[in-house]
Amino acid sequence: MASANLTLALYPFISDSDIFGDNLGLDEITSASQSGHMAPRLTRRRHLATCCFQMIQVQNPTNPLPVKERVAGTLSTHPIRAPLFVAAAALCFFTAAISISPVICVFCLLHQILGRFNRARAAQLTLPHFVCQTPLFMPVGTQVPGCKCCIVTVAEAFQNIVNVCNGPLRYPLRPLRNTETAVTRVNFLHTAEAGVTGTIKGLTTSQLEEIGCQIILGNTYHLALRPTSELIDELGGLHKFMNWPRALLTDSGGFQMVSLLHLADITEKGVTFQSPVDGKPMLLTPEESIQIQNRIGADIIMALDDVVRTTITGPRIEEAMYRTLRWIDRCIEAHKRPNEQNLFGIVQGGLDPVLRDICVRGLVDRNLPGYAIGGLSGGEDKDSFWRVVAQCTASLPEDKPRYVMGVGYPLDIVVCSALGADMYDCVYPTRTARFGTALIPEGVLKLKHRAMADDTRPIDPTCMCMVCKNYTRAYIHCLVTKDAMGSQLLSYHNLYYMMKLSNDLHSSIIEGQFPDGELYAYMYPLQSISEVIFIWLTLHFPLPAGLYVASYRKCSQRVMFPSGSAMPWRSLESISLPAVLNSQHPNIE
Amino acid sequence: MFTVKAWSKGRARSGILQIVGGSSCEIAIETPALLLSTRKGLPAFISPDLLPSLPSPDSHILQFSPLHFLEGLTPETMANCGGLHQMLGLHEYGFAAVPRDSIVCLPECNGTNKIGASFETPCGRLLIKSLEYMKMISSMKPNLWATLADEVPAWVSIKRNKNSVDRTVRWLDECIALSSTGGAVFGAIVGGSSVEERRRCAQEVAKRNVSGYWLGGFGLGESMDERSPLLNAVTCMGSDLRIIYPSKSRGRFVALGFQVLQGIASGVDLFDSTYIYDLTIGGFALIFPFDQIERNVSDSQPSAIGGDQTKINLKATVYRKDISPIVDGCSCYACQNHTKAYINHLLNVHEMLAQILLEIHNTHHYLGFFRAIRQAIKEGKFEQFRQQFIENRRHQIFAASLAHQAGKSCTLC
Ligand SMILES: [Zn+2]
Ligand SMILES: [Zn+2]
């Protein structure tokens, strides 16, 4: 903490003219993200502002803390490390202890940082059931065919329909015009799929172990509906029920309700939704969500948050953020198994850096075992996305794991790891496998494409997985979207790829070979193929700089083989934008 | 390649089938054996890394339909890959090619003409000629392959039946002439439900240079009682032959177990069955004891939960909280790792893992049944085994025949 003290001691010399509402430029954040800095300049300024407020507060003790939460959030006791404010801090803690319910958190988690490279960190996360290496990717354990959160993005659905109806892709992807058609088409796709015995990710737990999965994510919402959390509890918890010896994480269930159910309504009490079983209105409160998750018994459980689409603006975002903060206290209160399960809080606040900051502070004050960055991956542009991640990871405590929710594109994982995040989850690798898409270092490979029919190479010649060691693209081509085995084999490869990626990230951070944070930050919005490949080369083939060019040439030939069916990342990103979740999001404003 | 090791009192026999796998590794399969049905060379749900968990070497002989590959893999690409063993990376496995698969590739007797045999496939109705078929066979290099057959149901006219025998024999000649691989040829025998035609066909095929017989046209409308003489008519041709007996098994197990035993009693060595697939799709798991020590079954009745003492339907709510394995003491992957409650949950949420686990268990269990039969033959107790099997399930057979008469659909259909 020595460096922190040093940095903070300098704060009084920074002008605080633009404390709020400043819009940081790309270079500002990247320069702040260099090693040696603890936080972007914005956060440092905010920090200063808080300190000033607290000073005022302390000087005027008769004046109780403002009732308005926004200020309360800002004022909440952030530990002041600067020696200058020690006395003030002590008093401030005292004040806070009276006004904010004091929370003593017992952790059953150990987060040891093994290596750093600029902001990126590689750590060992010790959970009750498993010792994990971060950065890590968590596959989603329970996908349900009838579930709309587990299905395709519009573009993917559309593309599959094109494939089904017209054979191999004849015209390029284009987004659908309106929501209605999108939904209809997705539904059509679903009916079509239901007939094929529910082709869903089919891997056994021993295969998942073999691949190297460390944590599986279980959807609380689905598990609570079937087989119900009471039954899981009765049968000895989810670990025992599914015979998974490693770690598990459950979400709060709120996200699914809000995104799946049209009539979800969020009030201070909780999320009211229409039961999919009998249509009756039901209420999921923070207490109930935690109770259900306590019964399921995962290593990490998530607090119930008020989820809003990031593309929504205005007071709703603010309301959701403050509600999330209010709910976290109720979640902590309701948490009955803090010695066996780690409760993670979720940072909300849309794309507004001020709101995000208030939320981060509020959560950090509760001293939780870990923190998640939520509300992303909902269709915001990549530039806003990484800014939020950069801001949150900069102000979240160093010694706690950081989990970016719903992020799963390989490139997003690399960028978020460079910014200091540790955990990710996404249905993407298995979902895309069902539609015949394989993840490869150059991008994605569409195995439905006609050009694959006589391609006798493995999916990815550099991959060491069971599928790539044994099967040709031609064979997988004749299986995909027709036989259950096609999606099994592709899911296996795609998950192996994600695990390899997290492993590579872990070891390259420890070995200090992780690409420079600055380089990344500049490259990412540009997203040109050459640069992405460059990133990959620096990650995978630590060669002297002079050789990069040669390797890049080799690579680019692979990207553009005659059929053009290996898609560069750029196209992949364009697929990620129109998410079905958006189109089906209920109007909660 | 095939040697008979033991005979029971009747025609039932036990032997060893020796085949050479992908990279010239020897595989010895004891018969009577079950050919595991596959989709494009791999079992419907068991991925190749889970295959070794099945009993070995019993599980090392797979049946496939070359027609499956018409969906997207040309014979040229297959040949470039070096055949099916190479393409699937399954070198220690033997492959038996049979034109139809009884699941998605079915013979369509109305479409068949003198040029070729017609099949309903996932890519529509196709007319397969000998030349085309042999192109596929030579690119896939299976260990054994059946020739093209004109399979007709039991109810066709005498003339059509006679025609089908003539065509099948002619296609056999064409296939043998076009054959360029070393795989063992299994001559198809058809003839519907006419004993004379069956015998004529068998005699014609026996004159050719074939390594075995493939008995086609069964399970297409003939009754159980009709089947025995039909089988006997064609299996009386000597001891040096192996026979694949396709049992189209969309029926109750009683009937099927009986069918298998009936086939073995007539001297059939290899069975090609979709039974495991049908069970798995229906959410059923086999539980019947197949060793000689039969349990007291007098008090067990076909229960209302959609099962009997042969199989259980894991979709039934009684298994919601059942934390025991499907069969206590079963050594398969599913029983070693998972409970009935979990599989019940997987079926409820339509997770494919349910089918994976069920296929593993059912294959495991069914192979055990074949092992017990072989044991009985070796000990000279096959007839007792068969009698006991039928005895223990008499009331089920009775119920099944009642259901059949009443036109009710059985639990599996
Ligand atoms: Zn691979
Ligand atoms: Zn078993």
Side-chain angles (χ1 to χ4, degrees):
Chain A
M1 288 302 29
S3 66
N5 283 341
L6 188 68
T7 331
L8 274 157
L10 297 170
Y11 279 358
F13 305 107
I14 300 171
S15 145
D16 60 350
S17 57
D18 51 354
I19 284 171
F20 293 108
D22 58 350
N23 196 6
L24 287 188
L26 176 69
D27 46 349
E28 277 179 284
I29 292 189
T30 43
S31 64
S33 73
Q34 296 303 304
S35 49
H37 291 263
M38 290 302 291
R41 209 181 301 158
L42 170 75
T43 322
R44 278 186 278 138
R45 287 171 190 166
R46 194 71 44 71
H47 214 120
L48 172 69
T50 316
C51 295
C52 296
F53 273 121
Q54 282 162 346
M55 287 292 283
I56 298 160
Q57 207 58 54
V58 171
Q59 279 159 5
N60 193 4
T62 48
N63 192 9
L65 279 168
V67 212
K68 197 173 176 260
E69 290 139 352
R70 180 171 175 135
V71 189
T74 324
L75 290 184
S76 57
T77 60
H78 194 88
I80 299 156
R81 300 180 188 94
L84 197 66
F85 297 121
V86 167
L91 274 165
C92 205
F93 269 124
F94 182 68
T95 327
I98 300 160
S99 58
I100 300 167
S101 62
V103 178
I104 301 141
C105 262
V106 191
F107 303 151
C108 45
L109 159 156
L110 186 65
H111 189 250
Q112 295 162 291
I113 294 182
L114 304 176
R116 281 173 207 276
F117 198 82
N118 293 338
R119 287 179 66 179
R121 60 237 206 111
Q124 181 171 290
L125 178 65
T126 311
L127 293 168
H129 284 88
F130 197 66
V131 181
C132 317
Q133 311 292 319
T134 68
L136 64 83
F137 175 79
M138 304 179 281
V140 182
T142 44
Q143 285 168 261
V144 183
C147 161
K148 292 184 188 74
C149 78
C150 301
I151 66 168
V152 291
T153 62
V154 175
E156 272 178 309
F158 178 59
Q159 175 209 344
N160 199 47
I161 290 156
V162 172
N163 289 346
V164 169
C165 306
N166 304 338
L169 214 60
R170 282 193 195 152
Y171 38 89
L173 291 179
R174 57 186 156 78
L176 294 171
R177 287 236 177 93
N178 60 53
T179 323
E180 207 182 4
T181 11
V183 175
T184 332
R185 277 177 175 163
V186 169
N187 284 345
F188 157 72
L189 176 82
H190 250 266
T191 7
E193 229 180 54
V196 204
T197 61
T199 44
I200 214 91
K201 169 180 81 88
L203 294 179
T204 61
T205 45
S206 53
Q207 282 177 318
L208 289 169
E209 275 185 75
E210 194 180 287
I211 287 171
C213 290
Q214 313 183 75
I215 309 182
I216 295 182
L217 189 147
N219 284 131
T220 297
Y221 172 76
H222 299 312
L223 291 169
L225 282 179
R226 276 183 306 195
T228 73
S229 61
E230 288 84 0
L231 182 74
I232 294 178
D233 192 24
E234 201 183 319
L235 302 183
L238 189 56
H239 282 96
K240 202 173 161 209
F241 184 59
M242 64 184 289
N243 190 27
W244 173 247
R246 299 187 178 180
L248 280 168
L249 180 147
T250 45
D251 61 359
S252 65
F255 179 70
Q256 258 90 12
M257 287 183 191
V258 176
S259 54
L260 299 188
L261 307 162
H262 293 267
L263 296 169
D265 182 33
I266 301 175
T267 59
E268 195 53 40
K269 256 180 124 180
V271 185
T272 313
F273 64 100
Q274 210 179 18
S275 159
V277 183
D278 52 12
K280 282 183 193 145
M282 289 174 78
L283 177 72
L284 181 82
T285 60
E287 289 81 9
E288 211 170 326
S289 167
I290 298 298
Q291 198 192 357
I292 294 171
Q293 295 186 74
N294 278 166
R295 284 197 213 108
I296 295 172
D299 298 76
I300 298 173
I301 61 174
M302 303 304 298
L304 185 69
D305 56 343
D306 185 353
V307 192
V308 206
R309 238 201 299 174
T310 41
T311 41
I312 287 179
T313 47
R316 177 68 186 94
I317 293 277
E318 198 175 329
E319 185 197 26
M321 188 277 288
Y322 284 116
R323 186 167 286 146
T324 301
L325 275 182
R326 286 192 297 272
W327 281 359
I328 185 75
D329 290 327
R330 290 168 61 184
C331 288
I332 296 168
E333 191 91 2
H335 187 22
K336 292 284 177 293
R337 300 173 67 185
N339 291 316
E340 299 138 277
Q341 295 182 289
N342 297 289
L343 174 67
F344 278 31
I346 303 171
V347 180
Q348 288 292 350
L351 302 177
D352 184 343
V354 178
L355 295 179
R356 284 273 175 188
D357 194 60
I358 295 168
C359 198
V360 167
R361 276 153 189 286
L363 291 175
V364 169
D365 287 341
R366 270 84 174 173
N367 192 20
L368 294 161
Y371 301 94
I373 303 166
L376 294 173
S377 76
E380 70 284 342
D381 63 281
K382 289 292 160 190
D383 195 46
S384 325
F385 163 73
W386 75 257
R387 273 162 198 260
V388 172
V389 175
Q391 189 206 341
C392 295
T393 51
S395 39
L396 284 168
E398 273 288 298
D399 57 342
K400 303 284 175 65
R402 301 146 179 182
Y403 160 31
V404 188
M405 298 176 86
V407 162
Y409 292 121
L411 193 57
D412 288 346
I413 289 181
V414 175
V415 173
C416 290
S417 299
L419 293 170
D422 306 304
M423 296 160 69
Y424 315 93
D425 80 282
C426 195
V427 293
Y428 174 71
T430 46
R431 191 185 61 191
T432 202
R434 276 160 56 208
F435 297 97
T437 306
L439 304 177
I440 56 170
E442 296 89 347
V444 293
L445 194 64
K446 303 266 170 193
L447 284 150
K448 281 283 294 174
H449 197 282
R450 205 176 277 151
M452 297 293 133
D454 49 11
D455 195 330
T456 54
R457 289 172 294 177
I459 296 172
D460 169 14
T462 62
C463 178
M464 295 303 290
C465 83
M466 172 270 288
V467 180
C468 294
K469 274 194 279 185
N470 290 311
Y471 299 102
T472 57
R473 294 175 181 180
Y475 184 64
I476 307 284
H477 168 81
C478 87
L479 287 181
V480 285
T481 67
K482 296 184 197 102
D483 295 288
M485 191 53 70
S487 85
Q488 278 188 53
L489 294 179
L490 268 188
S491 295
Y492 189 101
H493 165 82
N494 283 357
L495 283 182
Y496 185 93
Y497 176 87
M498 297 308 291
M499 295 306 142
K500 174 94 173 29
L501 174 71
S502 346
N503 251 337
D504 284 354
L505 286 170
H506 180 84
S507 46
S508 37
I509 293 167
I510 288 180
E511 288 156 24
Q513 284 165 351
F514 198 89
D516 197 76
E518 193 175 6
L519 174 83
Y520 257 98
Y522 277 112
M523 259 174 194
Y524 189 53
L526 298 173
Q527 274 179 36
S528 83
I529 311 166
S530 60
E531 281 157 329
V532 171
I533 287 166
F534 185 75
I535 292 170
W536 262 96
L537 284 169
T538 46
L539 253 182
H540 292 275
F541 314 99
L543 303 169
L547 288 177
Y548 279 141
V549 184
S551 314
Y552 162 59
R553 279 209 193 106
K554 212 174 99 204
C555 248
S556 67
Q557 276 161 6
R558 273 163 73 191
V559 171
M560 292 175 280
F561 56 80
S563 66
S565 42
M567 255 163 65
W569 286 114
R570 186 198 295 266
S571 326
L572 180 66
E573 295 305 331
S574 67
I575 287 181
S576 83
L577 290 177
V580 162
L581 288 181
N582 286 341
S583 60
Q584 296 208 323
H585 218 289
N587 189 9
I588 42 180
E589 277 191 30
Chain B
M1 272 179 66
F2 178 65
T3 39
V4 174
K5 296 280 180 197
W7 289 87
S8 78
K9 258 182 233 144
R11 286 208 179 93
R13 57 195 197 169
S14 164
I16 291 178
L17 168 66
Q18 275 169 319
I19 44 182
V20 180
S23 43
S24 64
C25 48
E26 291 262 333
I27 311 151
I29 308 278
E30 283 192 68
T31 64
L34 174 73
L35 304 174
L36 302 188
S37 68
T38 68
R39 291 281 180 94
K40 295 168 188 162
L42 291 177
F45 302 104
I46 308 174
S47 62
D49 55 326
L50 292 169
L51 268 180
S53 76
L54 294 174
S56 179
D58 305 20
S59 64
H60 283 233
I61 183 147
L62 307 171
Q63 174 271 341
F64 74 99
S65 161
L67 269 56
H68 286 172
F69 290 99
L70 291 172
E71 264 192 309
L73 206 61
T74 58
E76 287 75 30
T77 313
M78 182 64 91
N80 286 343
C81 291
L84 203 62
H85 290 93
Q86 196 66 35
M87 170 141 244
L88 299 167
L90 297 175
H91 300 290
E92 312 90 74
Y93 287 75
F95 285 97
V98 175
R100 73 166 212 198
D101 74 347
S102 313
I103 301 168
V104 288
C105 285
L106 299 167
E108 173 46 59
C109 77
N110 295 327
T112 301
N113 55 33
K114 59 183 178 184
I115 310 166
S118 177
F119 296 91
E120 286 292 354
T121 74
C123 7
R125 189 181 286 192
L126 295 174
L127 191 73
I128 307 293
K129 296 166 204 142
S130 312
L131 182 67
E132 253 177 284
Y133 183 65
M134 286 318 294
K135 225 173 159 183
M136 292 188 246
I137 292 294
S138 40
S139 72
M140 289 167 197
K141 304 191 180 75
N143 299 90
L144 20 127
W145 55 276
T147 57
L148 219 50
D150 178 13
E151 292 185 77
V152 291
W155 57 79
V156 293
S157 66
I158 298 166
K159 189 169 167 257
R160 176 74 182 82
N161 198 13
K162 211 165 140 33
N163 235 333
S164 87
V165 172
D166 294 340
R167 278 175 194 163
T168 304
V169 173
R170 201 178 66 240
W171 291 338
L172 169 69
D173 288 330
E174 289 176 13
C175 285
I176 292 174
L178 291 163
S179 159
S180 59
T181 47
V185 187
F186 275 55
I189 295 177
V190 293
S193 52
S194 150
V195 175
E196 297 79 53
E197 286 302 322
R198 287 270 173 191
R199 191 171 292 132
R200 182 169 75 90
C201 190
Q203 280 162 356
E204 283 301 314
V205 174
K207 286 180 198 158
R208 272 75 177 176
N209 179 23
V210 292
S211 318
Y213 301 103
W214 180 72
L215 309 188
F218 281 105
L220 296 172
E222 80 283 358
S223 74
M224 280 287 278
D225 300 334
E226 272 179 286
R227 203 171 287 163
S228 271
L230 291 175
L231 281 168
N232 288 332
V234 296
T235 54
C236 55
M237 279 155 316
S239 59
D240 55 344
L241 307 163
R242 297 181 307 283
I243 294 149
I244 300 178
Y245 172 43
S247 33
K248 171 129 176 37
S249 63
R250 296 194 184 263
R252 292 177 70 100
F253 174 74
V254 190
L256 189 95
F258 192 70
Q259 260 184 37
V260 166
L261 291 169
Q262 183 188 40
I264 290 170
S266 305
V268 175
D269 302 306
L270 296 171
F271 291 82
D272 146 22
S273 158
T274 59
Y275 183 49
I276 294 171
Y277 179 79
D278 290 333
L279 284 174
T280 303
I281 291 301
F284 289 91
L286 289 175
I287 53 152
F288 69 95
F290 46 70
D291 41 21
Q292 299 288 23
I293 318 123
E294 291 275 341
R295 290 175 202 163
N296 183 13
V297 287
S298 56
D299 55 346
S300 50
Q301 291 293 321
S303 55
I305 53 170
D308 42 47
Q309 346 47 340
T310 302
K311 59 182 185 292
I312 51 171
N313 187 349
L314 284 167
K315 281 180 187 163
T317 35
V318 271
Y319 301 115
R320 218 173 90 90
K321 293 182 182 182
D322 193 333
I323 51 166
S324 60
I326 302 169
V327 171
D328 279 312
C330 176
S331 59
C332 81
Y333 175 85
C335 294
Q336 290 292 310
N337 291 287
H338 296 289
T339 61
K340 291 196 200 95
Y342 186 53
I343 299 174
N344 172 264
H345 163 70
L346 292 172
L347 286 166
N348 281 335
V349 298
H350 309 285
E351 270 274 3
M352 196 166 67
L353 187 53
Q355 277 81 41
I356 297 174
L357 296 176
L358 282 177
E359 192 179 21
I360 291 176
H361 170 79
N362 287 335
T363 308
H364 203 273
H365 202 88
Y366 208 38
L367 288 173
F369 176 58
F370 274 83
R371 197 169 50 242
I373 294 172
R374 287 196 298 269
Q375 193 59 35
I377 296 174
K378 280 184 211 159
E379 290 168 7
K381 292 179 187 159
F382 176 72
E383 269 314 303
Q384 286 108 292
F385 183 92
R386 189 184 171 193
Q387 286 312 319
Q388 197 176 22
F389 189 88
I390 295 164
E391 199 62 39
N392 287 337
R393 286 157 186 85
R394 188 172 292 285
H395 67 274
Q396 286 176 48
I397 296 167
F398 182 65
S401 62
L402 275 184
H404 185 74
Q405 282 166 6
K408 270 188 266 172
S409 63
C410 71
T411 42
L412 263 179
C413 299

